[in-house]
Amino acid sequence: MSESAGLLDDLLAGKHRALARVITKIENRDPGYRELVSGLYEHTGNAEVIGITGSPGAGKSTLVDKLAEHYREQGETVGVVAIDPSSPYTGGAVLGDRIRMASNVGDMDVFFRSMSARGNLGGLSTATADAVKAMDAFGKDKVIIETVGAGQNEIDIVGAADTVTVLVPPGAGDNVQMLKAGILEIADIFVVNKADMDGADRTVQELTEMVHLGQGSTTVDAGHHGFDEVEMDLDMPTDTDPWKPPIVETVATDGEGVVDLVETFTEHRTFLEASGELTRRRRQRVAEEIRTLLRDDAAGLVEDELDDQGGVGTFVDGVMAGDTDPYTIADDVMGPIRDCIEEQ
Amino acid sequence: MSTDQSQRSIRCLVAKVGLDGHDRGAHVIARAFRDAGFEVIYSGLHKAPDEIVQAAVQEDVNVLGISILSGAHNTLVPKIVEGLKEYDAFDDTLILVGGVIPDDDKAELKELGVAEVFGPGTPMEETVEYVRENAPER
């Protein structure tokens, strides 16, 4: 108790080491981490959380570096959580995103933390959302989450970020088709990075078409409007217009387009606030968080009950011997827990 | 491991400092640590002591492995140690040095707070085992 309380105080007082240690405790699921996160909660909600996802090698880390540099020039503090995959065999990982943070070396006001996915498949680690809270409570103005190089369905980022940015490298034409039902659906903003490469124009064009098609399908009820009427490009979104994901071209290696991108973030932020979408997203996030915690707790209770009744091994023996089956066992194990709940 | 409530992992920063472009050894170590189940953060080449300190503090690594083959260890390592102290990160970070370090300097580095020096030809298992046994708890 006293240790985590002290740690929390140090974090709120702006000690970098405390922030680092809190994130470690969150990652390790240390005893007491829940108390910590619960203590962080009231100090959160001020940071703007931006998610960056896209295929491996799309330039996520380099772009994050340039974004952080830009924000620092504006006098804002930045936290970055960068997730890299972990080995399914050993659990080990090489976390290489930090190498790209060349523009912010020695600047402690960019707090960069590498995380291993620790076996999680959604592109984030289970600890990511809580780590973001720690940075938020620490007082970071912007928190950037960089996902594992994501392919099709690594869409956990939606639950963690206010603005989801999907990087699409040029020449991903075929991939664009392939990805349609996954990662491209989650984008608030598309970035065609490496825009100086051949094929960038085509990728931009294909994305534009896709966005327009998507727009068509969400406005089905306004069917008397033709498609050409929906195509108004430069309108700022008002609170009634749905958000149409803009496509921004960048060359992250030399910082080209970064200012455009930051402006687009601001536009999206304005939209989120004006339309009530921000509140909706945050409510959804909290609901999901409550459910996840309860699921974990319930799973823990069930595990304990299972151990009390002799452990899973004895039940398996029973099934293998043909005396019973998994369904009956599940009913039996759940019985006492169910009784407790029904008594209330 | 998955049923365990707590999921500890040893985090290591493999760091290349100063004007030393030889990173084969650092790569081999990073890979071996990964295969041992550690989480490895690789600094990249030509880092200043400040950058290593920043990385070690923010990443909250249990182990900082510094690879130096340039002979500048007597200037670079003290700067890193000082930086770690400044951020209260010295006491619970295991500092290792790898590379070409003359015997006379080894004692001096250890005096500074380096836990162990691994020279050329050290078997990988030895290093991994050393880290497993000595990595400070978080």
Side-chain angles (χ1 to χ4, degrees):
Chain A
M1 169 67 205
S2 57
E3 194 209 343
S4 58
L7 205 52
L8 191 61
D9 287 345
D10 283 351
L11 180 146
L12 296 172
K15 286 187 87 173
H16 291 94
R17 190 62 175 165
L19 174 56
R21 185 55 50 87
V22 166
I23 296 178
T24 304
K25 290 200 175 289
I26 289 170
E27 268 203 295
N28 289 346
R29 295 289 186 250
D30 265 356
Y33 95 92
R34 281 189 166 197
E35 200 184 302
L36 265 175
V37 180
S38 148
L40 289 169
Y41 230 102
E42 60 173 309
H43 305 281
T44 61
N46 302 314
E48 208 173 298
V49 186
I50 294 160
I52 310 270
T53 186
S55 50
K60 295 181 294 297
S61 304
T62 312
L63 187 64
V64 168
D65 177 46
K66 289 298 190 293
L67 284 170
E69 186 187 24
H70 180 86
Y71 285 132
R72 290 298 296 138
E73 280 166 7
Q74 313 289 310
E76 294 182 292
T77 56
V78 183
V80 181
V81 183
I83 301 107
D84 265 331
S86 56
S87 159
Y89 303 111
T90 65
V94 172
L95 311 173
D97 294 324
R98 196 173 187 104
I99 300 181
R100 317 276 172 230
M101 294 303 289
S103 310
N104 299 286
V105 294
D107 179 2
M108 272 298 207
D109 284 325
V110 176
F111 194 101
F112 187 100
R113 181 62 175 243
S114 314
M115 275 188 169
S116 141
R118 300 212 177 166
N120 199 37
L121 294 177
L124 299 184
S125 116
T126 37
T128 306
D130 290 337
V132 170
K133 280 186 207 103
M135 290 189 172
D136 187 350
F138 186 81
K140 294 296 181 194
D141 300 313
K142 311 279 177 188
V143 177
I144 307 177
I145 308 172
E146 181 193 332
T147 72
V148 168
Q152 294 179 303
N153 247 336
E154 290 86 347
I155 56 172
D156 281 0
I157 188 74
V158 180
D162 299 328
T163 299
V164 176
T165 313
V166 176
L167 258 70
V168 186
D174 287 345
N175 288 341
V176 169
Q177 301 302 321
M178 188 177 70
L179 295 173
K180 254 183 188 168
I183 200 164
L184 294 192
E185 284 177 295
I186 63 170
D188 296 311
I189 296 166
F190 285 107
V191 171
V192 177
N193 190 32
K194 310 187 186 181
D196 54 343
M197 271 172 60
D198 282 350
D201 291 349
R202 199 173 139 231
T203 304
V204 171
Q205 197 187 346
E206 278 172 345
L207 281 173
T208 314
E209 270 168 35
M210 193 203 69
V211 169
H212 280 220
L213 283 175
Q215 211 66 14
S217 68
T218 55
T219 53
V220 192
D221 45 359
H224 55 279
H225 289 292
F227 271 113
D228 27 354
E229 272 164 291
V230 185
E231 285 181 32
M232 11 174 207
D233 257 326
L234 295 162
D235 279 2
M236 275 288 287
T238 67
D239 46 357
T240 47
D241 280 338
W243 176 258
K244 183 159 85 175
I247 297 149
V248 183
E249 293 178 59
T250 59
V251 183
T253 43
D254 58 17
E256 214 180 296
V258 168
V259 176
D260 284 350
L261 182 56
V262 170
E263 276 167 16
T264 314
F265 286 153
T266 312
E267 275 168 34
H268 187 246
R269 184 76 187 179
T270 313
F271 161 80
L272 285 176
E273 280 167 6
S275 62
E277 177 73 9
L278 188 64
T279 317
R280 198 190 64 80
R281 285 189 187 192
R282 290 198 165 166
R283 284 186 62 93
Q284 203 178 352
R285 199 179 300 163
V286 173
E288 196 49 47
E289 198 174 357
I290 295 172
R291 288 214 169 89
T292 308
L293 286 172
L294 288 174
R295 258 198 302 271
D296 285 356
D297 287 350
L301 283 178
V302 172
E303 251 345 283
D304 291 347
E305 185 60 30
L306 194 59
D307 287 342
D308 284 352
Q309 297 190 24
V312 77
T314 43
F315 290 117
V316 173
D317 291 344
V319 175
M320 296 311 276
D323 296 335
T324 180
D325 65 278
Y327 294 88
T328 313
I329 291 168
D331 271 347
D332 289 351
V333 174
M334 280 304 287
I337 299 175
R338 203 176 286 126
D339 290 347
C340 281
I341 293 171
E342 277 165 8
E343 262 170 43
Q344 285 189 343
Chain B
M1 192 185 107
S2 56
T3 52
D4 222 350
Q5 181 77 42
S6 159
Q7 311 174 5
R8 292 240 166 87
S9 179
I10 297 179
R11 288 168 68 86
C12 308
L13 173 63
V14 175
K16 288 294 304 182
V17 229
L19 299 172
D20 165 8
H22 300 272
D23 59 355
R24 175 67 65 89
H27 284 187
V28 172
I29 282 280
R31 176 66 193 266
F33 281 1
R34 187 199 85 183
D35 291 341
F38 306 163
E39 291 179 2
V40 185
I41 295 129
Y42 176 51
S43 71
L45 279 172
H46 307 308
K47 298 300 167 187
D50 278 1
E51 296 173 53
I52 301 305
V53 170
Q54 182 187 18
V57 170
Q58 295 185 345
E59 302 288 0
D60 194 19
V61 288
N62 316 67
V63 182
L64 167 58
I66 310 167
S67 158
I68 304 181
L69 296 117
S70 64
H73 45 269
N74 286 337
T75 2
L76 296 170
V77 175
K79 284 186 184 162
I80 293 174
V81 168
E82 238 169 78
L84 290 176
K85 281 180 179 162
E86 189 186 326
Y87 287 99
D88 303 327
F90 173 71
D91 291 333
D92 54 6
T93 305
L94 183 75
I95 306 176
L96 306 176
V97 172
V100 186
I101 312 289
D103 284 342
D104 289 352
D105 293 348
K106 277 186 189 170
E108 214 170 301
L109 288 179
K110 285 187 175 176
E111 191 106 325
L112 265 173
V114 172
E116 195 51 84
V117 177
F118 295 101
T122 312
M124 205 55 75
E125 301 80 44
E126 192 185 318
T127 315
V128 167
E129 210 38 53
Y130 185 88
V131 168
R132 276 221 177 92
E133 275 166 22
N134 295 288
E137 289 259 326
R138 281 287 177 270

